[in-house]
Amino acid sequence: MIIVLKPNITRKEEKAVLAEIKKLGYKPHIMRGVERTVIGAIGDERTHQNLETLMTWPQVEKVMPVQKRYKLVSREGHQGNSIIEVRGNVIGGKRFQVMAGPCSVESETQLLTTAEAVKKSGATILRGGAFKPRTSPYEFQGLGAKGLKLLAKARRETGLAIITELLSEDHAEMVAEYTDIIQIGARNAQNFQLLIAAAKTGKPVLLKRGLSMKIEEWLLAGEYVLAHGNPNLLFCERGIRTFETYTRNTLDLSTIPIIKQESHFPIVVDPSQGSGRADLVIAMCKGAVAMGADALLVEVHPNPAEAWSDGAQQVTLEGFARLMEELKPVVAAAGPEY
Ligand code: PEP
Ligand code: MN
């Protein structure tokens, strides 16, 4: 920690701060400038009282951390990029990956039709919610275990890997038994017990950004997965809540280069929750690819007008085929292979 003292304090006041730092178990290093004195305090904050309490002292102006609060997700001290392998598909490597499928698993025909179509268009991972985090308790809550079984069937028939959301710690084992990637939704992005339960399954965890989550909070939520022994993490930008009403959320594409600077884990972009509008999905995908996203998570439905959830933002099977065609030159220009 760096402790900046207020200007014009007496040596006696300075000595009192130094004594307190030592009392708390840290080693102070003093730097005297012309106007101000700065103290560097060295020690392990995990085992000692946090020095931020010094802010309550009248002679202290500022207390600032030197190190980042997240360590394992951080690029500092980690060489290269972490790549996440899911059934032979590598995310974060040279190949660009697309995860696609319906918002909710609704029926066998709906899921299998979608799975075959997205596979044909080039997707490698099938998405589909079996447990749905709905704002209203009166809306469709997902098919639950039956939905998981249908996802497993789709995987058997198409060879696509599966991603589905985990809503409750109680379901962690069951969901992990069926899925290849566990999705933690925006509403649960800081549900730390759920993150720990997801981490402990050993399956790769895709962590959506929370509705109003700062990037540092998101990185720290990812740190929970790492700190609980799971090295397979994917960050997923899905838009944040702003004052704007033309879109459901504001898709914050600046997080792509920021997550890449800060972390060695891949960044996935979800333009569907990110915009809430099927007509914007292709453009947002192109933007995400151009900015260096490692993968996309796109909602696709055979008949969005009859979808049981998120109809307005799901692209049709034909729309998805067009999206994948239109993305090709952007992917080629952005670097990764298709
Ligand atoms: C979803 O992927 O369907 C979903 C509910 O996502 P989010 O948690 O980002 O809202
Ligand atoms: Mn959805």
Side-chain angles (χ1 to χ4, degrees), residues 31-265:
M31 292 158 269
R32 283 200 190 86
V34 183
E35 289 193 7
R36 250 169 239 272
T37 297
V38 172
I39 304 167
I42 312 285
D44 190 345
E45 283 174 58
R46 286 169 303 184
T47 49
H48 293 88
Q49 184 184 315
N50 195 306
L51 284 175
E52 270 166 20
T53 49
L54 286 172
M55 269 313 286
T56 59
W57 285 51
Q59 55 268 60
V60 172
E61 187 168 284
K62 246 195 272 181
V63 178
M64 300 177 294
V66 183
Q67 281 181 332
K68 298 218 162 119
R69 292 165 76 200
Y70 44 90
K71 304 186 191 316
L72 301 169
V73 300
S74 171
R75 226 178 231 300
E76 274 173 23
H78 188 279
Q79 286 196 341
N81 295 325
S82 279
I83 55 172
I84 311 302
E85 201 181 322
V86 184
R87 290 190 160 250
N89 305 299
V90 172
I91 309 170
K94 281 209 179 107
R95 214 181 125 95
F96 187 72
Q97 300 286 355
V98 180
M99 314 179 191
C103 175
S104 299
V105 178
E106 298 166 10
S107 70
E108 182 168 337
T109 318
Q110 173 244 19
L111 188 66
L112 288 174
T113 315
T114 313
E116 269 150 29
V118 299
K119 183 183 177 186
K120 196 160 158 244
S121 297
T124 49
I125 299 166
L126 176 67
R127 66 148 287 154
F131 293 95
K132 294 302 300 176
R134 304 309 300 278
T135 302
S136 161
Y138 307 121
E139 290 165 350
F140 176 55
Q141 306 285 308
L143 295 182
K146 188 175 160 214
L148 295 177
K149 291 198 174 89
L150 291 177
L151 285 165
K153 182 161 191 195
R155 176 174 57 204
R156 269 198 313 277
E157 299 210 350
T158 60
L160 291 168
I162 300 294
I163 175 167
T164 198
E165 179 164 352
L166 173 66
L167 268 190
S168 154
E169 288 162 63
D170 296 344
H171 299 150
E173 243 176 75
M174 175 178 47
V175 171
E177 205 184 302
Y178 288 98
T179 198
D180 299 300
I181 304 175
I182 291 184
Q183 175 175 324
I184 298 292
R187 289 153 195 81
N188 274 316
Q190 282 181 299
N191 180 342
F192 302 118
Q193 292 307 317
L194 184 66
L195 286 169
I196 293 169
K200 286 189 174 161
T201 66
K203 294 277 170 166
V205 176
L206 177 137
L207 175 60
K208 296 257 195 140
R209 184 179 183 186
L211 307 177
S212 304
M213 207 178 195
K214 289 186 183 182
I215 296 172
E216 189 189 27
E217 292 167 331
W218 190 18
L219 288 158
L220 284 164
E223 190 78 11
Y224 268 87
V225 175
L226 273 286
H228 287 271
N230 188 332
N232 295 310
L233 178 65
L234 301 155
F235 287 102
C236 179
E237 168 63 46
R238 48 78 71 203
I240 47 173
R241 180 160 294 176
T242 68
F243 49 80
E244 186 50 70
T245 52
Y246 273 45
T247 45
R248 178 182 178 188
N249 290 297
T250 297
L251 187 64
D252 181 5
L253 293 181
S254 69
T255 55
I256 301 167
I258 294 173
I259 291 292
K260 289 221 165 279
Q261 277 168 25
E262 294 297 318
S263 178
H264 50 98
F265 287 105

Side-chain angles (χ1 to χ4, degrees), residues 288-305:
V289 172
M291 288 184 67
D294 295 294
L296 294 169
L297 180 67
V298 184
E299 288 189 345
V300 185
H301 195 286
N303 185 0

